[in-house]
Amino acid sequence: MSYFQEAKAHFVASHQNPINQALHHLTNALAIAAIVYLFYDWRITLVCLVLTQIFALGGHAFFEKNEPAFVKYPGITILASLSWSFEHWFGLRQLWHYFRHKASA
Amino acid sequence: MYQDLLVIDADAHKIENPLVIRDYIEPQYRDRVGLIVDNLGDQRMRVIDFNPATGKNDLERLYPQPQGLGKGGFRNLHPETTLGAMFNQVRLEHMDREGVDIQVVYGTWNLSYSSILDKDMAIALCRAYNNYMAEDCRGYGNRIKPIGVLPMQDVNEAVKEMHRCVNELGMIGVAIAPNIAIPHPKAPDAFPEIRTCKTLSHPDFEPILQAAVDLNVSIGIHGGPGSYMVGGIADHMETFVLSHIFVQRNQQQMALARMVFDGVFERFPTLRVGFLEGGCGWLPDLAHAFHEHWEKRIRDFDPKTPYRPALMEFTKLMIQERGVHNNSNIISQAKNLFDLMWNKQHDPAQIDDSSLYEHYDLRHRDPMEYFGRGQIFTSFESDDPAPAYLPLAMGEMGKHLTCFSGDYGHWDGVLKDCVKSAADVADYDRDHLSLLLNGNALALYGDRLRQSMPEHLSTAALVGTRG
């Protein structure tokens, strides 16, 4: 198993609370927005970056109640996090699974 | 003597003369026991026992059990020792020829008395056997030491009989069966065919253990095939060969394990017990298992804080093993499995049940100590090299755990060169050999044996004994 796969498995296991997951999808969307806005208005980029930290750290502190994944896998966790969000269509896929499960129950 | 070392046969046998022992049995029981020859031409003791199904004395039992699972022996008469086992004059000639100075004599028929269901008959048979043996072995230069048998079916009578054996009949120890058959709780109506057992460690038998300590006599645990006790693996074998391979050692292993873990050696730290005729090669393995289970399941065991991994770690490992695709499902699968295995509704920290604390009163002492302090002995027979293994596996204490036994009188015993083959089978140093041939038997049978030995033997050099 590659280092990235290990980091990703650790990331996924560290984000099991649905609210924390939603906050991390939001964080990842804001991170992309921050990069985009860098070319238009650096102040919005700064606001986006501050919000990413508030949402991500808040999710761990108040909902997941565990240590953020980047503590164990610094750096590469950002890639693992983005990969995870893309796989899950920034949360829409999880919602789709949830409602499909509800409908079939 | 063997090379000037005293030789004690710690477990020899009597083959009871059926005509003679009959005279010792009280008349009311005499007609309910007798020798028969079965349809295959083998001698059996026939006992008309109490029948739990009818409530009458109409259950015919043959000893040893002739057929079926756990069957006893057939064609069991040893060509060299049968007559000596019946007639002591021949026995002494054999002892002189082979250099055996003293034989400690257990019986043959009596090995099945503990499974007799009629309590009063069991008491009567034990008394008859003990009287018979005391008279039969009297004389002969004090070289034949009979061991008494106790009616385990009645604890008070067993204690009385032990006192009588030692104080009136001059016996040096008592024999007790490795277990006593009792109805199996799942099939009580099928008793005695389907049975479980209780061993000497059962609280009911506490007065017997106390009496042995008070009288300073050893207890010789002695079982046998086809005796209707619980026989371990032997109970599932339909040939005598297979049954006999397992029966003695399994019975002794169970008796020893129960005595250790039921705390007998803790409550009676001066009690001496011989686990006889089962060999000794298994002892290091069993002792190691005792130690390991004590260490991991008793001393270090904390049922209120069992292992509980972190959910995150558990999920991560599951993701790593099963892959990260579709991982919204794998998270819920992992969580479900985690909750199933480490159920929140049954938090072990909140559960306190006595069944979780097995043998907890023994957590302060490693069972290995019982071996080291001279409470546990086994026996080995001629040409068995196992005594050489014991010090390798158990250290110095391994030299003090087993006694020479010729198994004189039984089909698998050895007569010719029995002492020589026991001594030559491994490269023992003289101190070790002395322990095997006399020192350990003297430690087992204690002062009752020392003080009743012929004078010329009691002054013999006992190299390596620990007194």
Side-chain angles (χ1 to χ4, degrees):
Chain A
M1 175 169 276
S2 71
Y3 184 65
F4 175 75
Q5 284 171 317
E6 272 183 40
K8 190 168 175 190
H10 181 72
F11 178 88
V12 175
S14 309
H15 299 81
Q16 299 190 35
N17 183 288
I19 297 175
N20 190 35
Q21 286 178 347
L23 287 170
H24 275 72
H25 283 309
L26 189 55
T27 294
N28 287 334
L30 285 167
I32 292 166
I35 293 167
V36 172
Y37 272 101
L38 195 59
F39 298 101
Y40 300 101
D41 186 341
W42 63 270
R43 285 165 301 190
I44 295 177
T45 295
L46 193 63
V47 170
C48 287
L49 289 177
V50 170
L51 285 175
T52 58
Q53 297 311 299
I54 290 171
F55 290 153
L57 295 175
H60 283 289
F62 297 109
F63 300 104
E64 197 82 47
K65 297 184 197 305
N66 68 355
E67 191 179 69
F70 70 80
V71 175
K72 195 163 181 189
Y73 294 93
I76 201 164
T77 293
I78 297 167
L79 291 178
S81 175
L82 284 169
S83 159
W84 170 73
S85 276
F86 278 111
E87 267 174 16
H88 289 285
W89 315 332
F90 287 84
L92 294 176
R93 186 175 168 207
Q94 284 149 308
L95 282 175
W96 182 64
H97 274 302
Y98 175 77
F99 285 114
R100 195 179 64 165
H101 180 72
K102 270 261 190 198
S104 65
Chain B
M1 293 277 180
Y2 178 79
Q3 296 179 351
D4 291 329
L5 294 174
L6 178 72
V7 177
I8 298 171
D9 181 340
D11 175 26
H13 288 279
K14 180 75 184 173
I15 295 179
E16 299 83 6
N17 186 323
L19 276 181
V20 180
I21 196 171
R22 196 177 156 81
D23 292 339
Y24 289 83
I25 300 171
E26 289 171 40
Q28 66 198 93
Y29 300 105
R30 203 172 287 158
D31 292 338
R32 288 169 57 191
V33 299
L35 183 78
I36 64 155
V37 174
D38 69 14
N39 59 349
L40 296 176
D42 279 295
Q43 299 80 9
R44 309 274 170 201
M45 288 305 285
R46 177 174 172 269
V47 174
I48 305 300
D49 203 353
F50 174 75
N51 188 343
T54 63
K56 296 176 185 166
N57 294 323
D58 60 5
L59 179 64
E60 181 182 284
R61 304 177 88 185
L62 298 179
Y63 295 90
Q65 177 192 330
Q67 297 295 342
L69 295 173
K71 70 188 279 190
F74 52 91
R75 304 294 191 269
N76 266 359
L77 300 180
H78 193 292
E80 292 174 311
T81 62
T82 295
L83 289 180
M86 289 180 81
F87 303 103
N88 288 334
Q89 187 185 339
V90 180
R91 180 191 296 270
L92 270 193
E93 287 168 14
H94 288 161
M95 289 169 68
D96 288 339
R97 195 177 82 198
E98 298 300 328
V100 176
D101 298 294
I102 289 171
Q103 276 191 348
V104 180
V105 180
Y106 291 75
T108 299
W109 180 34
N110 66 307
L111 299 177
S112 61
Y113 285 178
S114 70
S115 54
I116 288 174
L117 304 178
D118 182 344
K119 186 172 73 174
D120 294 331
M121 186 163 74
I123 295 167
L125 289 179
C126 287
R127 288 181 65 85
Y129 172 87
N130 291 331
N131 290 335
Y132 163 67
M133 286 296 282
E135 284 189 28
D136 184 77
C137 298
R138 194 162 291 141
Y140 304 105
N142 263 341
R143 292 172 60 193
I144 305 173
K145 303 292 181 189
I147 293 292
V149 59
L150 305 182
M152 299 300 286
Q153 295 84 342
D154 185 320
V155 175
N156 290 334
E157 286 298 324
V159 171
K160 266 196 239 170
E161 190 63 12
M162 190 191 302
H163 281 268
R164 196 177 76 88
C165 284
V166 175
N167 294 332
E168 293 178 28
L169 303 179
M171 291 175 165
I172 62 164
V174 289
I176 288 175
N179 62 72
I180 288 89
I182 57 172
H184 196 292
K186 297 282 188 189
D189 296 336
F191 184 71
E193 287 302 316
I194 296 175
R195 52 192 174 257
T196 182
C197 65
K198 57 183 183 182
T199 64
L200 185 56
S201 59
H202 192 281
D204 288 354
F205 299 132
E206 196 98 352
I208 295 172
L209 299 168
Q210 186 62 56
V213 170
D214 293 343
L215 288 166
N216 188 24
V217 292
S218 63
I219 290 175
I221 306 283
H222 205 308
S227 55
Y228 304 95
M229 289 177 241
V230 168
I233 296 171
D235 290 345
H236 306 277
M237 299 294 163
E238 72 281 11
T239 69
F240 176 63
V241 168
L242 286 167
S243 165
H244 191 262
I245 283 170
F246 292 107
V247 68
Q248 301 276 13
R249 67 204 66 216
N250 276 191
Q251 288 177 338
Q252 299 300 349
Q253 287 161 348
M254 182 163 67
L256 173 57
R258 294 243 37 162
M259 289 183 85
V260 166
F261 285 97
D262 289 343
V264 166
F265 298 113
E266 199 59 39
R267 295 195 300 281
F268 299 97
T270 58
L271 180 71
R272 305 183 307 276
V273 185
F275 297 87
L276 302 169
E277 206 167 329
C280 66
W282 45 266
L283 198 58
D285 178 58
L286 195 66
H288 176 71
F290 289 176
H291 167 75
E292 184 189 21
H293 285 77
W294 169 79
E295 188 179 66
K296 294 174 181 170
R297 297 293 307 189
I298 299 174
R299 185 192 68 183
D300 300 339
F301 192 64
D302 180 4
K304 290 192 84 171
T305 52
Y307 172 69
R308 183 185 172 92
L311 172 61
M312 197 186 93
E313 186 64 20
F314 183 81
T315 310
K316 179 182 160 185
L317 288 169
M318 195 152 160
I319 291 167
Q320 284 179 342
E321 189 170 292
R322 308 298 299 171
V324 288
H325 304 296
N326 196 20
N327 53 18
S328 61
N329 270 352
I330 207 163
I331 284 180
S332 62
Q333 284 170 356
K335 185 149 189 343
N336 288 341
L337 179 59
F338 187 88
D339 286 344
L340 188 71
M341 292 175 73
W342 291 281
N343 194 314
K344 276 185 182 167
Q345 279 71 48
H346 296 103
D347 180 4
Q350 306 301 321
I351 298 171
D352 207 8
D353 189 283
S354 61
S355 69
L356 298 169
Y357 297 87
E358 291 180 342
H359 312 288
Y360 220 56
D361 52 339
L362 300 178
R363 64 191 180 281
H364 61 288
R365 199 186 310 281
D366 187 335
M368 295 302 282
E369 282 190 38
Y370 306 131
F371 295 95
R373 68 191 195 192
Q375 292 197 265
I376 297 166
F377 298 86
T378 56
S379 63
F380 71 98
E381 296 178 11
S382 310
D383 72 15
D384 180 356
Y389 316 153
L390 301 190
L392 292 176
M394 301 174 76
E396 184 64 23
M397 79 166 94
K399 293 181 179 176
H400 297 265
L401 294 174
T402 194
C403 315
F404 166 69
S405 152
D407 199 18
Y408 184 89
H410 281 176
W411 67 271
D412 51 341
V414 173
L415 176 61
K416 190 172 183 318
D417 291 336
C418 59
V419 182
K420 186 173 184 300
S421 71
D424 289 350
V425 72
D427 187 21
Y428 300 116
D429 62 48
R430 189 167 169 79
D431 284 359
H432 191 181
L433 184 60
S434 179
L435 285 168
L436 299 177
L437 295 183
N438 62 60
N440 293 338
L442 284 167
L444 169 60
Y445 293 111
D447 286 343
R448 300 269 173 195
L449 175 57
R450 280 174 197 279
Q451 290 162 6
S452 66
M453 287 203 303
E455 202 170 327
H456 71 282
L457 294 178
S458 60
T459 55
L462 305 174
V463 182
T465 59
R466 64 176 163 191

